[in-house]
Amino acid sequence: MLAITGASGFLGRYVVVEALRRGYSVLTLVRPTTDETRLPWYGHPAAKVVPVDLREPASIAAALQGADAVIHLAAAKEGDYATQYASTVTATENLLQAMASTHISRLIAISTFSVFDYQALSIGATVTETSPIERQPAARDIYAQTKLVQESLFRQFAQTQAGEVTILRPGMVYGRNYLWNASLGARKGDRFWLRIGTDAQMPLTYVENCASAIVNAVHSPEAVGATLNIVDDDLPTQTTYANKLLTRMPSHPWVVTLRWGTMNWLAQTIWQINQGIFKGKLKVPGIFVPARLHARFKPLRY
């Protein structure tokens, strides 16, 4: 039996459906406020909905009863540092402690491409599983910071609890009604779109492909102890994807495009002025922080 955290999320729903399609019995761990009648597998005989708050350790061990393996998808992508830390780091600490107490060793741990050190990569480099991990987390956004801590917890569980851990790093997961991605730039509704970069390859993975890869890993001996990236074949450039996306938008926005070189120079200039004149006290948008700009828009291959 599989226990799947974050089961009600965008990717989580597809992972549950894929696991059920393959004949697994599934414990779907969802927030206590989730309306289970709206879940696509509601009423499926092999799926049990288990409301649990991973930030509260007391009930997690009971929620895992009967599970042979855990797919851990739950994490926070929004909110302040305290919010994301609680939902990503603290929740993971609690889950791993509960797994240890219930003697569950198999873990499929979902990480992210955000953990890479993009400033250490040269333009046109290929991102692989061995690419360097971010060495200065404070320069990155909260999501990257908390996911870096979370990934270290996964490795610690493997070492101290003899955990059979597979770390999977999906690229940009997209799907029906989930097509926008921050690597395309910034936009204000359907009226204005600032595109940053044109030729960078987008590390996309269609949500059903990603879910299939995650479930594949559960009983794959070769995956135990491995860290694996997930991307699809034939990855498009920003321009190709953006043009496709424009055809699906209800109205054509005003689009301004800045090439990578121009945007990188602008960000470096603003960053140096802020550090020199304002001693780093000026709060600037994330796209003008070089570490964050590189992570979202640098022209790379995957």
Side-chain angles (χ1 to χ4, degrees):
M1 179 179 287
L2 295 179
I4 301 177
T5 73
S8 62
F10 171 62
L11 176 56
R13 291 177 180 231
Y14 283 88
V15 173
V16 172
V17 169
E18 179 65 12
L20 292 172
R21 187 186 70 80
R22 298 200 195 183
Y24 287 100
S25 296
V26 181
L27 298 173
T28 63
L29 277 59
V30 299
R31 295 186 182 93
T33 56
T34 301
D35 180 1
E36 62 182 72
T37 64
R38 299 178 66 87
L39 299 173
W41 59 86
Y42 177 69
H44 193 290
K48 180 181 178 181
V49 178
V50 184
V52 63
D53 187 342
L54 296 178
R55 297 169 300 180
E56 301 293 335
S59 60
I60 301 175
L64 296 177
Q65 289 299 319
D68 303 302
V70 174
I71 298 175
H72 184 34
L73 289 148
K77 291 186 176 181
E78 299 177 345
D80 60 17
Y81 188 86
T83 298
Q84 293 195 47
Y85 190 92
S87 295
T88 300
V89 178
T90 301
T92 297
E93 290 175 330
N94 293 339
L95 175 69
L96 297 179
Q97 289 172 5
M99 288 180 63
S101 69
T102 52
H103 307 291
I104 301 171
S105 61
R106 187 68 178 113
L107 173 65
I108 310 300
I110 308 305
S111 186
T112 171
F113 273 32
S114 293
V115 300
F116 291 118
D117 185 351
Y118 288 93
Q119 285 188 292
L121 299 171
S122 58
I123 291 176
T126 299
V127 177
T128 71
E129 288 82 354
T130 60
S131 295
I133 301 302
E134 180 61 67
R135 293 166 294 182
Q136 297 180 324
R140 300 287 298 281
D141 60 19
I142 298 170
Y143 177 71
Q145 292 176 40
T146 54
K147 292 297 283 187
L148 281 159
V149 177
Q150 185 191 50
E151 193 166 298
S152 70
L153 292 174
F154 296 148
R155 300 189 191 284
Q156 183 179 345
F157 178 76
Q159 294 171 359
T160 63
Q161 300 295 331
E164 298 177 339
V165 178
T166 299
I167 298 176
L168 299 179
R169 297 173 180 150
M172 302 169 186
V173 183
Y174 76 108
R176 304 176 188 90
N177 302 317
Y178 203 90
L179 300 174
W180 174 259
N181 190 277
S183 67
L184 293 168
R187 71 175 186 177
K188 188 173 182 61
D190 294 325
R191 293 177 296 172
F192 176 74
W193 181 356
L194 173 63
R195 284 190 51 201
I196 300 174
T198 57
D199 302 324
Q201 195 176 63
M202 296 184 65
L204 298 174
T205 175
Y206 190 68
V207 63
E208 292 180 4
N209 295 343
C210 187
S212 179
I214 291 169
V215 178
N216 280 346
V218 174
H219 284 105
S220 168
E222 296 85 359
V224 176
T227 298
L228 302 168
N229 296 344
I230 302 177
V231 291
D232 290 350
D233 297 326
D234 302 320
L235 297 174
T237 64
Q238 292 165 302
T239 296
T240 299
Y241 191 84
N243 289 340
K244 290 287 187 181
L245 184 59
L246 283 169
T247 66
R248 300 179 65 89
M249 297 178 72
S251 59
H252 201 292
W254 180 36
V255 180
V256 175
T257 302
L258 293 177
R259 291 191 173 275
W260 162 254
T262 302
M263 190 65 202
N264 187 38
W265 174 84
L266 184 60
Q268 293 288 349
T269 301
I270 292 174
W271 180 256
Q272 290 172 9
I273 292 174
N274 186 27
Q275 296 301 308
I277 298 176
F278 298 99
K279 308 302 180 183
K281 296 179 180 179
L282 186 65
K283 187 174 182 179
V284 298
I287 58 174
F288 296 121
V289 178
R292 301 181 191 182
L293 181 76
H294 281 242
R296 285 173 57 181
F297 303 111
K298 195 170 195 174
L300 299 166
R301 294 291 180 263
Y302 301 88

